[in-house]
Amino acid sequence: MKTNLKAVPVLAAIILFFAVSVPYAFSHQGEDMDVNECKNADEKPFVIPELKKWERAEGRFEITGKLRISVPEANEELKRIAEAFSTDLETMFGTSPRVMFYDPSRQSANDIGGKGNEIMFRLEDNPALGDEGYIVRIGNRIEVCAPGPKGIFWATRTLLQIADGNGGKSLPKGIIADWPDYALRGFMMDCGRKYIPMDYLRKLVRIMAYYKMNTLQVHLNDNGFKQYFGNDWDKTYAAFRLESGTFPGLTARDGHYTKEEFIDFQKEAAGMYVEIIPEIDVPAHSLALTRYRPEIGSKDYGMDHLDLFNPATYSFLDSLFAEYLGGDEPVFIGPKVHIGTDEYSNKDRQVVEKFRAFTDHYIRLVESYGKQAVIWGALTHADGETPVKSENVLMNAWYNGYADPEEMVRQGYKLISIPDGYVYIVPAAGYYYDFLNEKFLYDSWTPAHVGETVFEERDTSIAGGMFAVWNDHAGNGISVKDIHYRLFPAMQTLSVKMWTGENPSLGYERFDDARKTVREAPGVNFSGRVGTDSSVVLSMDRIRPGQRMPYDEIGYDYTVRFTVEGADEVPGTELFRSDDAVFYLSDPVSGMLGFARDGYLNVFRYRISEGEKAEIAITGDCRSTTLTVNGKVIDRLEIEKRWYNEGESVMYYVPTLVFPLKQAGKFSSRITDLKVYNYKR
């Protein structure tokens, strides 16, 4: 049996935790809890990620309208967390606790007054809990204790999930001791090939925080593959998503983030202890940069490669990074910045050495602004003599052929485990995963598994893990809803494997069944889940123009039925719209039934005629959208194979729709007998 000496301090801390902290937690409850009444850990409340330690006691803590949250005097950070917690309780359950201060010199909730209706936050030293662990003691009152604010915040996510399992009415009495196996628990979103609106990124951060995922890498630039664009770099899709004042023509016109909103986004995420790692991907994947400044594009390796032998390349990039890293109020406000370094050519020795020098230069440039550099692993692919700084550098270990994990650790890099063969989602591409193999990941993967290389659990060389969505096929019809449909369940599963670790107590089948009831986050339902399984969620006798509807949308799988008595509708007449989609009675181009979302218009081969009366049904899932008229299937828009590059390359076009319901349009037709089902009929 191998012994990893790097893991010994962690194991010692865990032993210390159980030997000292948990008995203290029991004894500290006083009259509220009898240790002898505690049940076994198999009865632990279901939360995601799974709790490390649970000891149950008799009874329940009732959540009432008089609930208050107490925080130490003058601790503004805990007050902010308490106020956010109170807001979430109100959003989820209609309960809005009052936030109040107490004298922190009083060591116990017993000294504060009141036997119940109180949640008390308390900071207490406990090295075994690390930076993010916490203890919750649920008795006649609730004590939330942690070494620092992060642990307090994560504890509030746990309490919200437990309460939600009982409709927000009560929590079981007992003691929780919880801490993560891995410090970095993350996700990477490719915003370069597909614009991901800021509104969704903000929702995504709330979801990540609810599941104790603490790192979001935002891939800000990239390009499509030229074989889908006539093998012409000039026609190939490319985008740089961040506003630039230094190079104003660089910023994508079909969707980008202003500096102000990106700064606000990072601050909002930091308030939920989610760190944003912005990534500018160079020197490959850089067509957006070379399109703006063609002279820095490589004539030898392709225009998606920067010319590493041209001094103008470095002048341009130095200025670009300086724009976001320099000044008193930099745009990149977090501690880490990703410089890319992914998949550059290694055609000859000269370019390999130049690539290594380039990587070293931009690691040191980022560090000169006080940031930690993050890079994609490529230094086995680009093995050479030129030294590349490794101390305090994080490396995304994605493919062992590009960066051998053991060798990278020997060279001094700390790894983020993001193995492509396990955790890459590439929607509807036909390679990697359309949907992750979650059962395999739940049963067999942790960040210690970097491809086929397996480290000891909690090896300090592994900073943590990530999974990723790559939007490789620009123009394939995939919507942000489709991306979310793929990433959200994966996030639930992988949050367990990054926090709880190797051996969750629930088998995958039980976990998979139970997790379906856990919401995305307080106030977030981007999937459009409504009602219980197989139910009619909405029934209305008539829909009037401009009417505000009870629900914003209905997600996969659904059926929407209505009767229409047709009038003469102008092209572009809407039946319903939401923030993300429009369903047309008469589409803007051909006057057919159809829908638009994410810049794509999809049209059914059916036009409603003036004076016609018809029963319409729209059925949608993650692969297709079907129109039925008077009981007969008229058109099914489903994943379509499209050929490019003289038949050598294929792309799968996806015509899906999360059905919009938020607002009725200004139509002239008569719409009656609306029924919305959260299943396909």
Side-chain angles (χ1 to χ4, degrees):
M1 178 178 176
K2 290 196 299 182
T3 300
N4 180 7
L5 295 178
K6 294 181 180 180
V8 169
V10 176
L11 295 174
I14 292 170
I15 292 168
L16 175 65
F17 173 76
F18 285 118
V20 177
S21 301
V22 172
Y24 170 73
F26 290 153
S27 64
H28 198 63
Q29 282 295 312
E31 64 182 11
D32 289 346
M33 184 170 296
D34 182 349
V35 177
N36 296 321
E37 294 178 342
C38 292
K39 309 297 183 182
N40 65 56
D42 188 53
E43 298 179 12
K44 70 174 75 171
F46 182 79
V47 299
I48 305 174
E50 183 179 321
L51 301 175
K52 283 286 182 63
K53 181 74 175 177
W54 164 253
E55 294 292 345
R56 187 179 181 88
E58 293 299 322
R60 301 188 72 85
F61 176 91
E62 302 296 328
I63 298 174
T64 72
K66 296 181 180 180
L67 185 65
R68 62 188 181 277
I69 305 172
S70 301
V71 300
E73 287 176 352
N75 193 315
E76 292 300 320
E77 181 64 359
L78 292 192
K79 179 174 181 286
R80 186 190 65 79
I81 293 171
E83 289 171 343
F85 184 36
S86 178
T87 298
D88 290 338
L89 285 165
E90 183 174 22
T91 298
M92 293 173 69
F93 314 123
T95 300
S96 183
R98 181 166 52 99
V99 178
M100 56 184 291
F101 286 110
Y102 71 87
D103 182 350
S105 66
R106 297 176 178 177
Q107 294 300 306
S108 169
N110 294 319
D111 300 325
I112 298 170
K115 285 292 183 181
N117 296 323
E118 181 173 45
I119 301 174
M120 186 183 76
F121 292 175
R122 199 152 58 82
L123 298 179
E124 58 180 32
D125 291 337
N126 192 329
L129 289 174
D131 190 36
E132 297 181 280
Y134 60 90
I135 295 172
V136 178
R137 308 176 182 101
I138 308 172
N140 290 339
R141 65 186 60 79
I142 298 175
E143 291 184 67
V144 179
C145 306
K150 282 185 187 178
I152 299 288
F153 180 75
W154 296 139
T156 66
R157 307 303 92 184
T158 293
L159 290 172
L160 289 170
Q161 287 194 31
I162 295 174
D164 203 18
N166 192 45
K169 298 176 182 178
S170 66
L171 300 98
K173 290 184 179 180
I175 300 171
I176 297 165
D178 204 16
W179 66 95
D181 266 19
Y182 292 92
L184 191 153
R185 305 175 301 280
F187 169 69
M188 191 231 69
M189 177 68 88
D190 174 7
C191 301
R193 296 186 182 102
K194 176 173 175 57
Y195 175 60
I196 308 297
M198 179 56 70
D199 182 63
Y200 177 69
L201 291 180
R202 293 174 65 239
K203 288 183 174 72
L204 179 60
V205 164
R206 292 187 65 81
I207 295 166
M208 293 180 70
Y210 198 54
Y211 291 95
K212 302 184 180 74
M213 299 282 278
N214 64 4
T215 307
L216 173 59
Q217 182 175 322
V218 181
H219 188 78
L220 287 166
N221 66 286
D222 216 314
N223 48 267
F225 302 142
K226 70 174 182 176
Q227 61 264 35
Y228 298 110
F229 299 90
N231 276 313
D232 186 343
W233 286 120
D234 290 337
K235 297 177 181 178
T236 301
Y237 184 82
F240 184 87
R241 297 296 182 196
L242 195 54
E243 174 191 7
S244 175
T246 306
F247 307 108
L250 176 63
T251 305
R253 297 180 181 179
D254 66 335
H256 70 274
Y257 316 120
T258 67
K259 291 181 182 179
E260 182 179 8
E261 71 180 341
F262 199 75
I263 290 170
D264 289 344
F265 167 58
Q266 293 169 91
K267 289 179 178 178
E268 181 178 332
M272 291 176 277
Y273 298 99
V274 176
E275 180 185 341
I276 305 302
I277 301 180
E279 178 191 354
I280 297 176
D281 197 2
V282 289
H285 299 272
S286 299
L287 184 61
L289 280 62
T290 66
R291 181 163 294 158
Y292 175 80
R293 188 66 63 83
E295 64 269 24
I296 66 173
S298 173
K299 307 302 186 292
D300 295 322
Y301 309 115
M303 287 296 286
D304 61 339
H305 284 47
L306 298 177
D307 183 353
L308 303 185
F309 299 91
N310 185 349
T313 297
Y314 299 86
S315 298
F316 178 84
L317 285 184
D318 287 1
S319 297
L320 186 65
F321 277 103
E323 179 175 2
Y324 303 121
L325 289 168
D328 295 333
E329 297 181 0
V331 177
F332 294 164
I333 67 174
K336 301 181 185 71
V337 171
H338 203 300
I339 61 170
T341 70
D342 189 22
E343 296 184 301
Y344 199 90
S345 174
N346 66 346
K347 182 179 178 181
D348 55 56
R349 176 56 47 194
Q350 187 181 22
V351 76
V352 164
E353 298 300 341
K354 201 67 175 175
F355 171 83
R356 293 176 66 88
F358 175 96
T359 302
D360 184 73
H361 173 80
Y362 284 100
I363 288 171
R364 295 179 187 277
L365 181 79
V366 163
E367 290 180 342
S368 73
Y369 290 98
K371 307 294 185 180
Q372 183 180 19
V374 190
I375 62 175
W376 288 105
L379 296 181
T380 298
H381 176 75
D383 187 25
E385 302 298 324
T386 304
V388 181
K389 187 177 186 294
S390 62
E391 183 182 0
N392 197 40
V393 176
L394 277 175
M395 177 181 286
N396 288 104
W398 69 280
Y399 173 52
N400 296 7
Y402 262 73
D404 177 75
E406 291 181 320
E407 176 59 27
M408 294 303 102
V409 168
R410 279 193 290 271
Q411 291 184 20
Y413 295 98
K414 202 162 202 177
L415 305 184
I416 301 170
S417 177
I418 184 171
D420 61 342
Y422 293 155
V423 296
Y424 270 20
I425 299 170
V426 188
Y431 56 85
Y432 284 127
Y433 292 96
D434 196 14
F435 294 83
L436 293 186
N437 185 344
E438 291 184 57
K439 184 180 188 307
F440 169 80
L441 293 169
Y442 187 88
D443 290 340
S444 305
W445 186 80
T446 70
H449 296 245
V450 188
E452 295 182 356
T453 301
V454 181
F455 292 83
E456 296 284 350
E457 290 298 323
R458 297 173 297 278
D459 189 311
T460 55
S461 300
I462 308 297
M466 282 188 178
F467 72 110
V469 165
W470 293 102
N471 296 303
D472 284 11
H473 288 185
N476 70 346
I478 280 285
S479 70
V480 177
K481 295 287 186 183
D482 291 319
I483 292 170
H484 180 76
Y485 190 73
R486 288 156 170 79
L487 76 84
F488 173 63
M491 185 166 295
Q492 289 181 311
T493 297
L494 290 172
S495 74
V496 176
K497 304 306 300 201
M498 296 181 195
W499 178 285
T500 312
E502 188 175 18
N503 295 309
S505 64
L506 285 183
Y508 177 75
E509 287 72 20
R510 287 178 63 193
F511 165 79
D512 189 44
D513 184 59
R515 56 100 165 257
K516 293 180 175 66
T517 64
V518 183
R519 70 179 74 203
E520 294 177 0
V524 179
N525 181 18
F526 199 72
S527 297
R529 298 190 297 184
V530 182
T532 57
D533 287 347
S534 300
S535 61
V536 180
V537 299
L538 183 60
S539 180
M540 299 178 69
D541 292 337
R542 184 172 179 185
I543 305 300
R544 300 185 184 279
Q547 185 173 355
R548 180 66 170 87
M549 303 296 287
Y551 301 112
D552 287 353
E553 58 201 352
I554 184 74
Y556 312 135
D557 300 304
Y558 66 81
T559 302
V560 175
R561 292 180 177 273
F562 58 91
T563 298
V564 59
E565 296 176 40
D568 183 18
E569 305 284 13
V570 299
T573 297
E574 300 175 5
L575 176 60
F576 291 115
R577 76 160 40 241
S578 68
D579 294 339
D580 300 293
V582 176
F583 190 88
Y584 293 106
L585 278 177
S586 174
D587 86 85
V589 177
S590 58
M592 304 287 191
L593 284 172
F595 58 90
R597 81 294 183 281
D598 292 68
Y600 298 97
L601 176 65
N602 295 281
V603 176
F604 296 110
R605 291 171 293 185
Y606 191 81
R607 183 195 311 271
I608 294 175
S609 302
E610 184 176 3
E612 174 187 8
K613 184 174 182 178
E615 294 181 358
I616 305 293
I618 309 296
T619 304
D621 58 31
C622 68
R623 296 183 60 84
S624 64
T625 312
T626 301
L627 169 67
T628 301
V629 181
N630 297 327
K632 181 181 178 181
V633 173
I634 299 299
D635 202 358
R636 177 177 286 116
L637 306 179
E638 53 192 343
I639 293 179
E640 173 190 342
K641 185 181 288 189
R642 296 180 175 180
W643 296 96
Y644 298 82
N645 194 25
E646 297 182 346
E648 293 184 6
S649 302
V650 66
M651 182 184 291
Y652 297 92
Y653 180 82
V654 181
T656 49
L657 175 68
V658 167
F659 197 91
L661 289 168
K662 184 175 182 178
Q663 186 84 37
K666 295 181 179 179
F667 46 79
S668 300
S669 299
R670 180 180 171 87
I671 308 297
T672 57
D673 301 322
L674 175 72
K675 284 186 170 57
V676 178
Y677 308 83
N678 60 10
Y679 62 101
K680 295 186 290 184
R681 285 175 58 91

